[in-house]
Every structure is written in C-alpha cells, then in structure tokens.
C-alpha cells in the first residue's frame, strides 16, 4: 500500500506573496545545499501549458545526494546516484514527481495547492473516498516544530525573526489562529517503494525527509522575506536563473570527488553489513 500523507504548512503571507517567496527560497536553498558535487542540478526550466490548469512552468532537476543518505540506502545505490525531480507549476496548483532510474520501483508524487486560510479546508486537493481513508494529516508549525540541529539557525527561527518590510513576526504560540495575513500550503504526498523487506523503512524515511525539507524551507521563506518582498515575478525569475547557473557550476566542478566518496561509503556499508 502506498504511504499517503497530507502536510499543511501555514505562512504569515498571502498566496500572492508566497508565489514570489517560494521561487526565491527554492533557488537560494538549492545553492546553499549544493556542496562538494552534491545538491540540485537544474536540467530544464521552461514554460508549459495544461488544458485544465492553464499556463505554468516546467522544471526538471537532478538531486545528487548519495553520501548524505543513511548507510543502509547507500548500500543499494550505485556510485553515480541522483533522484529526478519533474515539476509542473500552475500556481496556485503544482504537481511534482520524484523517480530514480536506478530504482524503478521508487516513486514519490506530490500534489500541492495554496489557499488564503489557516489550513481549515478538509479536502483541498479533491481526494477520492479511497484516498481519504488512508490519508493522514500533519499540520506543520514553522515556529514551534523543531528542525534538526544541523539545520537550525537562530536568525531563521520564526520565534525570533521580525520583518522590517512587513512588520510581521516574531511568531508566538497560537499564531495560526490570530495572525493575518495567513495562507496554507496543502501537500498530498504519495510515497511508494515496492521492494520486499525495505518498503516500509524506505517509505517512512522518504516521508520524514520530506517533512524536514518542508519545515526548513518554509521557515527560510519567512526569515528571508525582507530580501524577496517587493520583487516582481520577472525579478525573481532572473534571480532564479542566476542561482541555478551558480548551483550547476558547483555540482559540475566537484562531482568527481564526491561521487568517488559516495561509492566508497556504500562499499564499506555492504562489507560491514551496516544496513540497519
């Protein structure tokens, strides 16, 4: 059975403001996370169109992360390993798919919709009765849910950050009930890894990873609001192109050494039986 979770992430922004903040956050976050040949390589970024959702933007990325994975996953990965992300952004609706050519049974599908409310819509993405029966809902709080210690920065903590441009923040307990403006990112995540003996462990690992990324990314989008607030869509697209070029350069310049290190780590894991 596919593990299905719905994450609801509120932000002290409007849906229109978040459109700019999201693009800025993704571009900057991708660059910051791309070190030593690993990170997010942008392969394609172009306009697209859908008969239902209208005009949008299609992106394809290769996420290089071998040595960042637990040993029990590294043990089954080849030396050159990346996840393929394909995304269709028809704001305020987006569809994102993650696959891996090395592991054809791995599939993650994320459907997202943004609304100007505090997460109160019970079936925002029009799930079927069958999907609703197996769905679990997780309300993320960008201020009071903790990110891992390695990702924590006080200047990006919404409990302490105050925006000079918008006069929003710091966020206090119960802010989702009282703060205005407020919007919510509704994300339904279907994670599937149909390999006997590893399915439950991998699907749970994927969901935990996605939750951490969502929490960190949305905290950053708010903490960086004074840097992107007031940008036009054209401004943020230009910023996105600049950061994508810098990110790709980082990965290409150091990919050889990083891939060799990832392969050595996987070999050690296999030899040592460290797959727990």
């Amino acid at each position: 059975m596919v593990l299905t979770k719905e994450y609801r992430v509120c932000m002290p922004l409007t849906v229109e403001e978040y459109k700019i903040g999201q693009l800025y956050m993704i571009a900057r976050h991708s660059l910051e996370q791309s070190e030593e040949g690993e990170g997010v390589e942008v392969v394609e970024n172009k306009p697209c169109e859908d008969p239902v959702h209208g005009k949008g933007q299609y992106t394809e990325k290769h996420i290089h992360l071998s040595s960042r994975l637990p040993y029990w996953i590294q043990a089954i990965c080849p030396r050159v390993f990346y996840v393929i992300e394909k995304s269709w952004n028809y704001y305020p609706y987006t569809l994102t798919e993650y696959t891996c050519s090395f592991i054809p049974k791995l599939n993650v599908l994320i459907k997202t919709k943004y609304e100007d409310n505090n997460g109160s819509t019970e079936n925002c993405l029009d799930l079927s009765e069958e999907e609703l029966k197996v769905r679990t809902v997780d309300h993320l709080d960008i201020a009071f849910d903790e990110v891992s210690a390695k990702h924590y920065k006080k200047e990006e903590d919404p409990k302490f950050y105050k925006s000079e441009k918008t006069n929003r923040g710091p966020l206090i307990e119960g802010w989702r009930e009282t703060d205005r403006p407020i919007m919510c990112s509704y994300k339904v995540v279907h994670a599937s890894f149909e390999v006997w003996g590893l399915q439950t462990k991998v699907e749970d690992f994927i969901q935990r990873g996605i939750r951490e990324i969502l929490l960190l990314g949305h905290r950053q989008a708010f903490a960086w609001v004074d840097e992107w607030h007031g940008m036009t869509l054209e401004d943020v697209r230009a910023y996105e192109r600049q950061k994508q070029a810098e990110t790709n350069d980082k990965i290409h310049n150091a990919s050889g050494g990083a891939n060799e290190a990832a392969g050595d780590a996987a070999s050690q894991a296999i030899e040592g039986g460290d797959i727990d």
Side-chain angles (χ1 to χ4, degrees):
M1 180 181 293
V2 175
L3 184 57
T4 301
K5 289 193 176 184
E6 179 176 325
Y7 299 97
R8 299 182 187 178
V9 192
C10 290
M11 295 283 283
L13 306 168
T14 67
V15 169
E16 277 305 303
E17 288 173 332
Y18 182 79
K19 183 176 185 178
I20 303 298
Q22 177 199 42
L23 293 172
Y24 179 93
M25 175 269 291
I26 291 173
R28 177 173 166 182
H29 180 78
S30 296
L31 177 62
E32 290 188 354
Q33 293 299 307
S34 298
E35 298 289 348
E36 298 178 354
E38 297 197 330
V40 183
E41 176 188 10
V42 181
V43 178
E44 200 167 5
N45 188 358
K46 64 181 182 181
C48 61
E49 192 164 353
D50 181 84
V52 175
H53 301 292
K55 293 183 178 180
Q57 193 79 8
Y58 169 78
T59 58
E60 180 176 335
K61 302 174 183 178
H62 292 175
I63 305 170
H64 303 261
L65 38 62
S66 299
S67 67
R68 300 185 184 191
L69 298 172
Y71 277 141
W72 58 269
I73 291 185
Q74 289 185 32
I76 63 172
C77 291
R79 294 193 176 194
V80 180
F81 171 73
Y82 59 83
V83 172
I84 301 165
E85 176 195 280
K86 296 182 179 181
S87 180
W88 296 262
N89 188 345
Y90 305 103
Y91 203 84
Y93 172 82
T94 65
L95 180 67
T96 307
E97 181 181 44
Y98 295 91
T99 57
C100 175
S101 58
F102 164 64
I103 312 173
K105 293 184 180 293
L106 170 66
N107 184 271
V108 179
L109 185 66
I110 305 177
K111 297 179 182 179
T112 306
K113 192 173 181 181
Y114 310 101
E115 290 189 347
D116 283 310
N117 57 49
N118 67 349
S120 56
T121 304
E122 283 310 311
N123 191 10
C124 181
L125 284 150
D126 299 320
L127 301 182
S128 67
E129 288 297 323
E130 291 73 19
E131 290 174 313
L132 290 173
K133 288 178 182 177
V134 299
R135 173 198 68 172
T136 58
V137 178
D138 187 351
H139 293 265
L140 276 64
D141 187 332
I142 65 168
F144 292 92
D145 285 0
E146 295 183 358
V147 295
S148 61
K150 65 181 179 180
H151 290 143
Y152 179 81
K153 296 179 181 178
K154 186 174 181 179
E155 63 270 22
E156 294 177 357
D157 191 332
K159 295 193 298 296
F160 304 111
Y161 174 75
K162 183 175 181 63
S163 165
E164 294 182 4
K165 283 187 177 180
T166 67
N167 201 35
R168 300 172 201 170
L171 302 183
I172 62 173
E173 193 76 58
W175 68 273
R176 290 176 292 181
E177 303 302 324
T178 59
D179 282 29
R180 297 294 181 272
I182 193 165
M183 56 81 62
C184 183
S185 171
Y186 295 81
K187 289 184 176 288
V188 172
V189 180
H190 302 280
S192 174
F193 185 72
E194 298 178 1
V195 175
W196 186 86
L198 287 174
Q199 180 172 2
T200 301
K201 179 177 284 188
V202 173
E203 290 180 356
D204 181 65
F205 171 76
I206 291 169
Q207 291 285 2
R208 285 187 286 112
I210 288 172
R211 190 186 195 281
E212 174 79 4
I213 291 168
L214 289 176
L215 186 58
L216 176 64
H218 285 81
R219 285 164 65 98
Q220 290 176 329
F222 176 57
W224 297 340
V225 65
D226 285 348
E227 299 177 34
W228 58 259
H229 200 271
M231 277 186 167
T232 65
L233 185 58
E234 291 74 21
D235 291 335
V236 77
R237 287 296 184 196
Y239 175 85
E240 184 181 48
R241 288 192 294 271
Q242 175 193 343
K243 295 304 175 187
Q244 286 173 356
E246 293 176 26
T247 301
N248 287 359
D249 284 344
K250 265 191 174 184
I251 294 170
H252 291 154
N253 289 341
S255 59
N259 287 332
E260 186 69 28
D264 291 344
S267 297
Q268 292 168 11
I270 294 171
E271 292 167 4
D274 185 7
I275 57 173
D276 295 325

